[in-house]
Amino acid sequence: MPNCIVITAIVCVLITTVATIVSFSLPNWLHFQNLGDSLCGCSSKDCHCGLWINCRGGFDASSSLANCEWFFSDDFHIEKSLPDWFKAVQGLMSCAVASSMLSLLIGLFSLCWTCKGCNPHQATGAFANLTFLLLAVAVCVFGTKAYLEKQAIVMPSQTTSNEMLLFGWSFWVAVGATGMALISSILYFCVGRSDDTY
């Protein structure tokens, strides 16, 4: 029967995986407010930019993607114009999704069976740690480059003009997923070490 730390660790991995997939797939990494910019193909004054899609004016009332444009449409027009650092973040986040899903699968399978001579908790912790490293690098690169090159800000101040570039909530979900991945990797390494002592 799994102990409390194992259950807590698997819940942390589940939260990490869901948060990573949400931040990976939704168009809210940057919000161009009253500001048009060539990054992400955001030519309108109100645009939400994600890693794979931009939406002008947000989602419409029917929650369809009619006002959104995929980076891969029109023969990869937007994707080809993205800076290298943005493409690096896309790759890092893609790898983070894969490693978080592997961590979740191994963690769930370790609840079902045991084996002599192997420690699935150490493997789960290793993939959770890899997820943490990939997410941390992706978030740091994106945050640094968006701030230095595009003057992205966290929150508008009273002295800020109406034209601004804000970090969107998908970016902050990725930051939270990074912290949760670190917590889950520490928990799994603790469980794996205690399994080795018995």
Side-chain angles (χ1 to χ4, degrees), residues 62-94:
S62 66
S63 296
S64 74
L65 298 173
N67 58 344
C68 297
E69 185 177 11
W70 290 96
F71 292 177
F72 304 119
S73 62
D74 296 328
D75 196 29
F76 297 91
H77 169 67
I78 297 173
E79 184 69 26
K80 289 177 183 176
S81 67
L82 291 173
D84 290 339
W85 63 266
F86 200 97
K87 292 176 184 177
V89 171
Q90 288 176 326
L92 288 165
M93 288 298 294
S94 298

CSV table of all heavy atoms in Angstrom, one decimal, residues 62-94:
chain,number,residue,atom,x,y,z
A,62,SER,N,-18.5,32.9,-28.8
A,62,SER,CA,-18.8,31.5,-29.0
A,62,SER,C,-17.6,30.5,-28.6
A,62,SER,O,-17.7,29.3,-28.8
A,62,SER,CB,-19.2,31.2,-30.4
A,62,SER,OG,-18.1,31.4,-31.3
A,63,SER,N,-16.6,31.1,-28.0
A,63,SER,CA,-15.3,30.4,-27.6
A,63,SER,C,-14.7,29.6,-28.8
A,63,SER,O,-14.0,28.6,-28.6
A,63,SER,CB,-15.7,29.4,-26.5
A,63,SER,OG,-16.1,30.1,-25.4
A,64,SER,N,-14.9,30.1,-30.0
A,64,SER,CA,-14.2,29.5,-31.1
A,64,SER,C,-12.9,30.2,-31.4
A,64,SER,O,-12.6,31.2,-30.8
A,64,SER,CB,-15.1,29.6,-32.4
A,64,SER,OG,-15.1,30.9,-32.9
A,65,LEU,N,-12.1,29.7,-32.2
A,65,LEU,CA,-10.8,30.2,-32.5
A,65,LEU,C,-10.8,31.0,-33.9
A,65,LEU,O,-9.8,31.1,-34.6
A,65,LEU,CB,-9.8,29.1,-32.6
A,65,LEU,CG,-9.5,28.3,-31.3
A,65,LEU,CD1,-8.6,27.1,-31.6
A,65,LEU,CD2,-9.0,29.2,-30.2
A,66,ALA,N,-12.0,31.6,-34.2
A,66,ALA,CA,-12.2,32.3,-35.5
A,66,ALA,C,-11.2,33.5,-35.6
A,66,ALA,O,-10.8,33.8,-36.7
A,66,ALA,CB,-13.6,32.7,-35.6
A,67,ASN,N,-10.9,34.2,-34.5
A,67,ASN,CA,-10.1,35.3,-34.5
A,67,ASN,C,-8.6,35.0,-34.1
A,67,ASN,O,-7.8,35.9,-33.8
A,67,ASN,CB,-10.6,36.4,-33.6
A,67,ASN,CG,-10.8,36.0,-32.2
A,67,ASN,OD1,-10.8,34.8,-31.9
A,67,ASN,ND2,-10.9,36.9,-31.3
A,68,CYS,N,-8.3,33.7,-34.2
A,68,CYS,CA,-6.9,33.2,-33.8
A,68,CYS,C,-6.2,32.7,-35.1
A,68,CYS,O,-6.8,32.3,-36.0
A,68,CYS,CB,-7.0,32.1,-32.8
A,68,CYS,SG,-7.7,32.6,-31.2
A,69,GLU,N,-4.9,32.8,-35.0
A,69,GLU,CA,-4.1,32.4,-36.1
A,69,GLU,C,-3.0,31.5,-35.6
A,69,GLU,O,-2.2,31.9,-34.7
A,69,GLU,CB,-3.5,33.6,-36.8
A,69,GLU,CG,-2.7,33.2,-38.1
A,69,GLU,CD,-2.1,34.5,-38.8
A,69,GLU,OE1,-2.2,35.6,-38.2
A,69,GLU,OE2,-1.7,34.3,-39.9
A,70,TRP,N,-2.9,30.2,-36.1
A,70,TRP,CA,-1.9,29.3,-35.8
A,70,TRP,C,-0.5,29.7,-36.4
A,70,TRP,O,-0.5,30.2,-37.5
A,70,TRP,CB,-2.2,27.9,-36.2
A,70,TRP,CG,-3.4,27.3,-35.4
A,70,TRP,CD1,-4.7,27.3,-35.8
A,70,TRP,CD2,-3.3,26.7,-34.2
A,70,TRP,NE1,-5.4,26.7,-34.8
A,70,TRP,CE2,-4.6,26.3,-33.8
A,70,TRP,CE3,-2.2,26.4,-33.3
A,70,TRP,CZ2,-4.9,25.7,-32.6
A,70,TRP,CZ3,-2.5,25.8,-32.1
A,70,TRP,CH2,-3.8,25.4,-31.8
A,71,PHE,N,0.6,29.5,-35.7
A,71,PHE,CA,1.9,29.8,-36.3
A,71,PHE,C,2.2,29.0,-37.5
A,71,PHE,O,3.1,29.4,-38.3
A,71,PHE,CB,2.9,29.7,-35.2
A,71,PHE,CG,2.9,30.7,-34.1
A,71,PHE,CD1,3.7,30.6,-33.0
A,71,PHE,CD2,1.9,31.7,-34.1
A,71,PHE,CE1,3.7,31.5,-32.0
A,71,PHE,CE2,1.8,32.6,-33.0
A,71,PHE,CZ,2.7,32.5,-32.0
A,72,PHE,N,1.6,27.8,-37.6
A,72,PHE,CA,1.9,26.9,-38.7
A,72,PHE,C,1.0,27.2,-40.0
A,72,PHE,O,1.2,26.5,-41.0
A,72,PHE,CB,1.7,25.5,-38.3
A,72,PHE,CG,2.6,25.2,-37.1
A,72,PHE,CD1,2.0,24.8,-35.9
A,72,PHE,CD2,3.9,25.3,-37.1
A,72,PHE,CE1,2.7,24.5,-34.8
A,72,PHE,CE2,4.7,25.0,-36.0
A,72,PHE,CZ,4.1,24.6,-34.8
A,73,SER,N,0.1,28.1,-39.9
A,73,SER,CA,-0.8,28.3,-41.0
A,73,SER,C,0.0,29.2,-42.1
A,73,SER,O,1.0,29.8,-41.8
A,73,SER,CB,-2.1,29.0,-40.6
A,73,SER,OG,-1.8,30.3,-40.0
A,74,ASP,N,-0.6,29.3,-43.3
A,74,ASP,CA,0.0,30.0,-44.4
A,74,ASP,C,1.5,29.7,-44.6
A,74,ASP,O,2.4,30.5,-44.6
A,74,ASP,CB,-0.1,31.5,-44.1
A,74,ASP,CG,-1.5,32.0,-44.1
A,74,ASP,OD1,-2.4,31.4,-44.8
A,74,ASP,OD2,-1.8,33.0,-43.4
A,75,ASP,N,1.7,28.4,-44.7
A,75,ASP,CA,3.1,27.9,-45.0
A,75,ASP,C,4.1,28.3,-43.9
A,75,ASP,O,5.2,28.8,-44.3
A,75,ASP,CB,3.5,28.3,-46.4
A,75,ASP,CG,4.7,27.5,-46.9
A,75,ASP,OD1,4.8,26.3,-46.5
A,75,ASP,OD2,5.5,28.0,-47.7
A,76,PHE,N,3.7,28.2,-42.7
A,76,PHE,CA,4.6,28.5,-41.5
A,76,PHE,C,5.0,30.0,-41.5
A,76,PHE,O,6.1,30.3,-41.1
A,76,PHE,CB,5.8,27.6,-41.5
A,76,PHE,CG,5.5,26.2,-41.3
A,76,PHE,CD1,5.3,25.3,-42.4
A,76,PHE,CD2,5.4,25.6,-40.1
A,76,PHE,CE1,5.0,24.0,-42.2
A,76,PHE,CE2,5.1,24.3,-39.9
A,76,PHE,CZ,4.9,23.5,-41.0
A,77,HIS,N,4.2,30.9,-42.0
A,77,HIS,CA,4.5,32.3,-42.1
A,77,HIS,C,5.0,32.9,-40.8
A,77,HIS,O,6.1,33.5,-40.7
A,77,HIS,CB,3.3,33.1,-42.7
A,77,HIS,CG,3.5,34.6,-42.6
A,77,HIS,ND1,4.4,35.3,-43.3
A,77,HIS,CD2,2.8,35.5,-41.8
A,77,HIS,CE1,4.4,36.6,-43.0
A,77,HIS,NE2,3.4,36.7,-42.1
A,78,ILE,N,4.2,32.7,-39.7
A,78,ILE,CA,4.6,33.3,-38.4
A,78,ILE,C,5.8,32.6,-37.8
A,78,ILE,O,6.7,33.2,-37.3
A,78,ILE,CB,3.4,33.3,-37.5
A,78,ILE,CG1,2.3,34.2,-38.0
A,78,ILE,CG2,3.8,33.8,-36.1
A,78,ILE,CD1,1.0,34.2,-37.3
A,79,GLU,N,5.7,31.2,-37.9
A,79,GLU,CA,6.8,30.4,-37.3
A,79,GLU,C,8.2,30.8,-37.8
A,79,GLU,O,9.2,30.8,-37.1
A,79,GLU,CB,6.5,28.9,-37.5
A,79,GLU,CG,7.4,28.0,-36.8
A,79,GLU,CD,7.4,28.0,-35.3
A,79,GLU,OE1,6.3,28.3,-34.7
A,79,GLU,OE2,8.4,27.7,-34.7
A,80,LYS,N,8.2,31.0,-39.1
A,80,LYS,CA,9.5,31.4,-39.7
A,80,LYS,C,10.0,32.7,-39.3
A,80,LYS,O,11.2,33.0,-39.3
A,80,LYS,CB,9.4,31.4,-41.3
A,80,LYS,CG,9.2,30.0,-41.8
A,80,LYS,CD,9.0,30.0,-43.3
A,80,LYS,CE,8.8,28.6,-43.9
A,80,LYS,NZ,8.5,28.7,-45.4
A,81,SER,N,9.1,33.6,-38.9
A,81,SER,CA,9.6,35.0,-38.5
A,81,SER,C,9.9,35.1,-37.0
A,81,SER,O,10.4,36.1,-36.5
A,81,SER,CB,8.5,36.0,-38.8
A,81,SER,OG,7.3,35.8,-38.0
A,82,LEU,N,9.7,34.0,-36.2
A,82,LEU,CA,9.9,34.1,-34.8
A,82,LEU,C,11.4,34.1,-34.5
A,82,LEU,O,12.2,33.5,-35.2
A,82,LEU,CB,9.3,32.9,-34.1
A,82,LEU,CG,7.8,32.8,-34.0
A,82,LEU,CD1,7.4,31.4,-33.4
A,82,LEU,CD2,7.2,33.9,-33.2
A,83,PRO,N,11.8,34.8,-33.4
A,83,PRO,CA,13.3,34.8,-33.1
A,83,PRO,C,13.7,33.5,-32.6
A,83,PRO,O,12.9,32.7,-32.1
A,83,PRO,CB,13.4,35.9,-32.0
A,83,PRO,CG,12.0,36.1,-31.5
A,83,PRO,CD,11.0,35.7,-32.6
A,84,ASP,N,15.0,33.2,-32.6
A,84,ASP,CA,15.5,31.9,-32.1
A,84,ASP,C,15.2,31.6,-30.7
A,84,ASP,O,14.9,30.4,-30.4
A,84,ASP,CB,17.0,31.9,-32.3
A,84,ASP,CG,17.4,31.9,-33.8
A,84,ASP,OD1,16.6,31.5,-34.6
A,84,ASP,OD2,18.5,32.2,-34.1
A,85,TRP,N,15.2,32.6,-29.8
A,85,TRP,CA,14.9,32.3,-28.4
A,85,TRP,C,13.4,31.8,-28.2
A,85,TRP,O,13.2,31.0,-27.4
A,85,TRP,CB,15.2,33.6,-27.5
A,85,TRP,CG,14.3,34.8,-27.8
A,85,TRP,CD1,14.7,35.8,-28.6
A,85,TRP,CD2,13.0,35.1,-27.3
A,85,TRP,NE1,13.6,36.8,-28.6
A,85,TRP,CE2,12.6,36.3,-27.8
A,85,TRP,CE3,12.2,34.4,-26.4
A,85,TRP,CZ2,11.4,36.9,-27.5
A,85,TRP,CZ3,11.0,35.1,-26.0
A,85,TRP,CH2,10.6,36.3,-26.6
A,86,PHE,N,12.5,32.3,-29.1
A,86,PHE,CA,11.1,31.9,-29.0
A,86,PHE,C,11.0,30.5,-29.4
A,86,PHE,O,10.3,29.7,-28.8
A,86,PHE,CB,10.3,32.8,-29.9
A,86,PHE,CG,8.8,32.8,-29.5
A,86,PHE,CD1,8.2,33.8,-28.7
A,86,PHE,CD2,8.0,31.8,-30.0
A,86,PHE,CE1,6.9,33.7,-28.4
A,86,PHE,CE2,6.6,31.7,-29.7
A,86,PHE,CZ,6.1,32.7,-28.9
A,87,LYS,N,11.7,30.1,-30.5
A,87,LYS,CA,11.7,28.7,-31.0
A,87,LYS,C,12.4,27.8,-29.9
A,87,LYS,O,11.9,26.6,-29.8
A,87,LYS,CB,12.4,28.6,-32.3
A,87,LYS,CG,11.7,29.3,-33.4
A,87,LYS,CD,12.5,29.3,-34.7
A,87,LYS,CE,11.8,30.1,-35.8
A,87,LYS,NZ,12.6,30.1,-37.0
A,88,ALA,N,13.4,28.3,-29.2
A,88,ALA,CA,14.0,27.5,-28.2
A,88,ALA,C,13.0,27.2,-27.1
A,88,ALA,O,13.0,26.1,-26.5
A,88,ALA,CB,15.2,28.2,-27.6
A,89,VAL,N,12.2,28.2,-26.7
A,89,VAL,CA,11.2,28.0,-25.7
A,89,VAL,C,10.2,27.0,-26.1
A,89,VAL,O,9.7,26.2,-25.3
A,89,VAL,CB,10.6,29.4,-25.3
A,89,VAL,CG1,9.4,29.2,-24.3
A,89,VAL,CG2,11.6,30.3,-24.6
A,90,GLN,N,9.8,27.1,-27.4
A,90,GLN,CA,8.8,26.1,-27.9
A,90,GLN,C,9.4,24.7,-27.8
A,90,GLN,O,8.7,23.8,-27.4
A,90,GLN,CB,8.5,26.4,-29.4
A,90,GLN,CG,7.7,27.6,-29.7
A,90,GLN,CD,7.5,27.9,-31.1
A,90,GLN,OE1,8.4,27.6,-31.9
A,90,GLN,NE2,6.3,28.4,-31.5
A,91,GLY,N,10.6,24.5,-28.1
A,91,GLY,CA,11.3,23.2,-28.0
A,91,GLY,C,11.4,22.7,-26.6
A,91,GLY,O,11.1,21.5,-26.3
A,92,LEU,N,11.8,23.6,-25.7
A,92,LEU,CA,11.9,23.2,-24.3
A,92,LEU,C,10.6,22.9,-23.7
A,92,LEU,O,10.5,21.9,-22.9
A,92,LEU,CB,12.6,24.4,-23.5
A,92,LEU,CG,14.0,24.7,-23.8
A,92,LEU,CD1,14.4,26.0,-23.2
A,92,LEU,CD2,14.9,23.6,-23.1
A,93,MET,N,9.6,23.6,-24.0
A,93,MET,CA,8.2,23.3,-23.5
A,93,MET,C,7.7,22.0,-24.0
A,93,MET,O,7.0,21.3,-23.3
A,93,MET,CB,7.3,24.5,-23.7
A,93,MET,CG,7.5,25.7,-22.9
A,93,MET,SD,7.3,25.4,-21.1
A,93,MET,CE,5.6,25.0,-21.0
A,94,SER,N,8.0,21.7,-25.3
A,94,SER,CA,7.6,20.4,-25.9
A,94,SER,C,8.2,19.3,-25.2
A,94,SER,O,7.6,18.3,-24.8
A,94,SER,CB,8.0,20.4,-27.4
A,94,SER,OG,7.3,21.4,-28.1
